[in-house]
């Protein structure tokens, strides 16, 4: 195990009706809020009105940024920063899925950043200050509700980049699984793939001596598999939604990465796809991950064997390690397919045209990969396998 | 899953040499420290001198309480509170095992408490204020390094009682597994039993729909089993010590209790043993737990079957659920025995004399148990089975 520091002060308020505690939590930080929301779903499920009602009851001034889209854009961040500065906002409250909360976090950092907000994403180093952030989550997926990450896209430059700073860890996050019961099947599936992908990025690692972190990761994957079946059979299964939501939060809050090197190459590759083609993040990951696995597995078959055996119950009888590993990867692809996730770039009408430029962009100015360091050609091969 | 709130802002600094960050962390809170230590071990391993050196280098005023013993006493808390008040101490720094850190936490709360510190333990409700606490851990066992609990004994009244308040969560905890490499075998084993016992108290629960929390708990138990063998074979196995230390912290920081009812009857019964006979907490738990399991298992065999199968690999072929459950319990006892933990009260020369009064005391003024609510007679029977 490597040395590590773990510090995650986000307060989780988890369960049915926990929104009732919103007023109390917001008031800890002041009485002026920037409410950040996405499209229509928070209004459709009545959450928007409920939040406005609670904030009004508590005498809190409300400013707003709405219309945040998937693969959220830097324009909304700029808009929010301006409003916060002009109105001396105390807390940025993201109500929605990962895109909304990432926008809220980026605004909170942008308020304290001297320069255009996009520079926070392109500069060396990370912003280290932000006004407080709160979150009300409506989609189990990114884990942003309990970490310091935010991913923002700039369509002018075809870039999708992240900040990672404890300054934007939500001070509190309200997670009511009921809000996720009405998420359409497609987005439910993308969320589940995203959660699994976060686990993979941290699970496949060469750091020795991390048995309990590995088992925690496997715990999340096994639970996701079991609960994904239930939730696709019955979208309103509260317990299944709750379990998936908890898995999403715990998959990317530092728990399973304790003392481990991590990978994140597949995410970087997918970010290129989303930046160039604006496809759903979870869809891109479902395509890329099995191909990444196949491409890198020979760097350390043991971990892929462990994955196949423990997560999918693959038998090792009369098989080589390579056969067991391949069976685990095939079962991964099958799981994603059975849920209805895409398996080829062709499913999004993506052809060979931009593979080269995406591969170039994925490796530009950064080291890529942990399980296997990836060159531009490696990325190109993985994209090609994904056609 | 039940609704829950999770908030654990302790910063963990984990690994070899992390003590180097002590000065930086202490200075965040001020420049006057009460250093709380136990017997000789922190001096023997050179840690005491290192801590003093770092505090001096950073220009921090040092006040001291030393000589904290296992089953730590309220007298030391009173002593520390007095020193803190007289010297306007900014941070209480516990350097040692659970007893030392619990004393430090109790002092920190006592400073802000209006009344004799023992009243914090006997009153209704919990103290809600404390001066900041820091910890340097030298024993993997209680989990106090990342929670708001502190257990203190009063030998005058034969009571061993706890406070539970986020106010005393350490602001930072330095966990260097090297410090645990010189812990004598007996105390290493008690620590491992204590960690397993914490997991049991939260694992055996009737709350439905908690698959991932259950698997995280099983992850800790399986890892403990594997690593305990390694560490008893080679006490200086850094990786094994590191894994056990991490298990200890994560077993009682709220992770595996998310959304679950918990039990804690066995701890309450053991606290009576320690209060009346001053025996080691881990030794008492090793005796009580298998008997508690046997006594309560019929309240819900399914969880005991799951435990036997997943943690000990017990086969279910041609067996009733009851037989599988009993085999898991027997394997628990065997594991404790193989490590050298006691299995009967007779090992501590404890006979029938005080069983009745201990049973009475265990249930006085409180509900006992979650998996099965225990009456005085139930406690008496469990103690009798343990003779």
């Amino acid at each position: 195990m490597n040395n590590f520091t773990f510090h995650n002060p986000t307060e989780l308020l988890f369960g049915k009706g926990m929104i009732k505690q919103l007023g109390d939590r917001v008031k800890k930080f002041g009485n002026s809020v920037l409410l950040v929301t996405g499209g229509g779903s928070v209004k459709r499920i009545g959450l928007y009105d409920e939040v406005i009602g609670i904030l009004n009851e508590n005498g809190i001034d409300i400013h707003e940024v709405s219309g945040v889209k998937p693969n959220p854009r830097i324009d909304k961040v700029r808009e929010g920063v301006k409003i916060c500065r002009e109105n001396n906002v105390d807390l940025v409250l993201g109500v929605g899925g990962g895109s909304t909360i990432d926008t809220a976090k980026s605004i909170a950092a942008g308020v304290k950043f001297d320069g255009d907000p996009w520079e926070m994403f392109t500069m060396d180093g990370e912003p280290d200050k932000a006004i407080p952030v709160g979150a009300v989550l409506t989609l189990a997926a990114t884990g942003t509700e309990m970490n310091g990450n935010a991913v923002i896209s700039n369509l002018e430059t075809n870039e999708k980049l992240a900040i990672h700073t404890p300054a934007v860890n939500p001070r509190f996050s309200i997670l009511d699984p009921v809000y996720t019961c009405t998420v359409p099947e497609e987005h439910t599936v993308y969320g589940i793939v995203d959660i699994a992908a976060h686990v993979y990025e941290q699970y496949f690692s060469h750091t020795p001596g991390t048995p309990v972190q590995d088992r925690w990761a496997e715990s999340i994957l096994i639970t996701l598999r079991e609960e994904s079946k239930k939730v696709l059979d019955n979208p309103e299964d509260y317990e299944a939604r709750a379990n998936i939501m908890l898995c999403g939060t715990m998959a990317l809050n530092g728990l399973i990465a304790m003392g481990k090197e991590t990978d994140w190459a597949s995410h970087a590759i997918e970010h290129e796809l989303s930046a160039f083609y604006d496809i759903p993040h979870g869809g891109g990951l479902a395509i890329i991950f099995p191909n990444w696995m196949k491409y890198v597995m020979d760097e350390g078959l043991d971990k892929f064997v462990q994955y196949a055996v423990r997560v999918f119950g693959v038998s090792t009888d009369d098989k080589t390690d390579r056969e067991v590993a391949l069976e685990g990867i095939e079962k991964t692809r099958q799981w994603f397919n059975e849920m209805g996730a895409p398996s080829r770039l062709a499913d999004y009408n993506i052809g060979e045209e931009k593979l080269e430029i995406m591969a170039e962009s994925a490796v530009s100015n950064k080291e890529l990969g942990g399980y296997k360091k990836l060159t531009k050609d490696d990325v190109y091969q993985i994209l090609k396998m994904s056609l």
Side-chain angles (χ1 to χ4, degrees), chain A residues 68-87:
Chain A
V68 174
K69 295 212 168 55
N71 296 322
R73 318 297 155 78
I74 190 66
D75 328 26
K76 286 286 169 193
V77 177
R78 291 184 182 124
E79 183 188 333
V81 168
K82 192 158 172 281
I83 298 173
C84 286
R85 286 186 179 153
E86 284 170 0
N87 298 279

Side-chain angles (χ1 to χ4, degrees), chain A residues 323-336:
Chain A
E323 286 166 339
V324 175
L326 280 170
E327 205 174 319
I329 295 169
E330 194 43 41
K331 285 198 182 284
T332 308
R333 195 193 301 272
Q334 260 173 34
W335 174 36
F336 291 167

Side-chain angles (χ1 to χ4, degrees), chain A residues 345-357:
Chain A
L345 290 174
D347 296 334
Y348 290 119
N349 297 315
I350 297 174
E352 292 205 50
E353 303 75 19
K354 295 184 180 171
L355 298 198
E356 181 114 9
I357 184 174

Side-chain angles (χ1 to χ4, degrees), chain A residues 110-176:
Chain A
V111 173
K112 295 277 190 180
F113 183 75
D114 187 18
D116 177 69
W118 186 243
E119 289 170 29
M120 301 191 295
F121 294 84
T122 56
M123 70 180 183
D124 281 340
E126 298 285 350
D128 59 354
K129 289 197 196 81
I131 65 172
V133 177
V136 180
L137 186 69
T138 60
L139 181 73
T142 73
T144 190
E145 62 277 12
M146 201 183 186
N147 65 39
N149 308 337
V151 183
I152 296 290
S153 293
N154 187 333
L155 291 187
E156 288 160 36
T157 61
N158 277 334
E159 286 175 301
K160 181 173 176 175
L161 298 172
I163 53 171
H164 311 85
T165 168
V168 300
N169 255 67
R171 306 301 178 96
F172 62 86
S173 280
I174 296 176
L175 279 66
D176 184 338

